[in-house]
Amino acid sequence: MASIKRVLSTPDGDHFYVREGEKDCHTQYGVAKDVLKAKDGSKVVSNTGKEFFVFSPFYADIYKKIKRGAQIIPLKDIGLIVAETGIGKESVIVDAGAGSGALSCFLAHIAKEVVTYEIREDFMEIVKKNISFLGLKNIMIKHKNIYEGIDEKNVDVVTLDVPEPWKAIDSAADALKAGGFLVAYCPTIPQTADFVNAIHDNTRFTHIKTVEVIEREWEVAGRKVRPKSTSIGHSGILSFCRKLQ
Ligand code: SAH
């Protein structure tokens, strides 16, 4: 997986990465020497006296370093998609649009197979780089408009992050197995309304729920416990539906 060999983190959560071929870790807190030899979970000290913990990278560490072109789906929303649909090692997923591949690459790490559709070739290049950076083998990217149909059949979950998700409802119905989930991620309320109302008018789906995930990070230092001012603001609204018959 990727070329990152070590992750150094400060007690307050700053992360630094050591790539293949590097020995030392250069940070704004000075240089930590010879970190490839340090044991996982051990402490190293930079030449300015700053302490770091050293780890071999987990998927979550490498994932943070993926390239971004299109606006990505944040982790808080990915978490709910996974939890609501129960995506796991048997799941086959179709996703569109690939964008930066943030959602599809996260899902590929836990699912059996992901196929992601994208219409823009420049974004496809970014996604291909991210797939190879993450070392994923079970994800395929297709240069295709999802509104014009989905080639795959018997799919467990379809995720849509496209401007007009209602145009992909019939494609998703043909692709999904009965009971399969259709999830639409919309940045705005009019898109959400158009999507969910189209689902209400469609006999092949039932709407389960539409939710917004609000994440508020807290600062905890002694008795100074209060919300951080840098919490993520609005990202998108998630609508969950299930395929009938
Ligand atoms: N979920 C992605 C971000 C998607 S951004 C991530 O987490 O990284 C929306 C993407 O959808 C853009 O890249 C855009 O080019 C693509 N797109 C728009 N309409 C599409 C369509 N009809 N079929 C496939 N991709 C589409």
Side-chain angles (χ1 to χ4, degrees):
M1 182 167 47
S3 62
I4 295 173
K5 293 292 168 208
R6 304 299 258 173
V7 180
L8 270 68
S9 74
T10 65
D12 37 1
D14 256 1
H15 284 73
F16 301 93
Y17 298 83
V18 181
R19 288 167 193 274
E20 193 150 23
E22 298 172 348
K23 237 168 70 189
D24 305 333
C25 185
H26 295 260
T27 76
Q28 71 256 43
Y29 310 108
V31 182
K33 288 244 173 226
D34 241 355
V35 287
L36 287 184
K37 287 190 191 142
K39 267 193 173 167
D40 276 352
S42 67
K43 234 188 251 175
V44 295
V45 181
S46 76
N47 63 336
T48 64
K50 181 83 176 174
E51 285 188 344
F52 298 90
F53 295 105
V54 183
F55 298 102
S56 291
F58 278 42
Y59 188 79
D61 298 310
I62 310 244
Y63 180 81
K64 279 194 191 122
K65 303 295 277 181
I66 61 172
K67 287 192 194 316
R68 289 155 188 234
Q71 183 70 44
I72 67 168
I73 297 198
L75 289 176
K76 69 179 179 76
D77 296 315
I78 296 178
L80 191 70
I81 295 172
V82 173
E84 284 290 339
T85 60
I87 288 170
K89 53 186 183 303
E90 301 300 325
S91 308
V92 176
I93 300 162
V94 170
D95 167 71
S100 309
L103 177 63
S104 52
C105 288
F106 193 101
L107 297 180
H109 181 58
I110 51 177
K112 183 175 174 194
E113 192 189 323
V114 178
V115 181
T116 182
Y117 286 57
E118 176 56 56
I119 47 172
R120 277 183 56 172
E121 292 195 39
D122 51 339
F123 285 147
M124 287 182 71
E125 288 312 309
I126 293 174
V127 179
K128 282 181 192 161
K129 283 196 179 119
N130 285 335
I131 293 171
S132 122
F133 175 66
L134 293 165
L136 294 164
K137 304 273 181 254
N138 59 339
I139 170 166
M140 198 201 341
I141 176 157
K142 282 193 176 172
H143 189 209
K144 191 171 167 184
N145 183 340
I146 192 103
Y147 305 151
E148 288 168 6
I150 294 176
D151 307 323
E152 294 69 30
K153 297 277 173 256
N154 225 22
V155 168
D156 298 285
V157 180
V158 173
T159 53
L160 298 174
D161 179 4
V162 287
E164 299 171 300
W166 51 90
K167 290 191 178 166
I169 291 175
D170 288 331
S171 314
D174 293 339
L176 281 165
K177 54 172 78 154
F181 289 88
L182 172 61
V183 185
Y185 176 83
C186 300
T188 71
I189 289 292
Q191 285 163 306
T192 302
D194 288 354
F195 174 76
V196 176
N197 287 323
I199 287 286
H200 288 322
D201 293 342
N202 191 305
T203 53
R204 296 207 282 171
F205 280 103
T206 179
H207 174 238
I208 303 172
K209 64 174 172 185
T210 291
V211 287
E212 179 180 8
V213 179
I214 296 172
E215 178 183 284
R216 188 149 69 134
E217 193 177 345
W218 287 70
E219 183 181 346
V220 182
R223 298 191 64 236
K224 187 180 165 210
V225 180
R226 60 175 201 185
K228 277 197 176 175
S229 47
T230 52
S231 299
I232 311 178
H234 174 73
S235 55
I237 301 145
L238 284 164
S239 296
F240 294 89
C241 316
R242 282 192 97 163
K243 164 85 187 296
L244 303 170
Q245 309 148 43

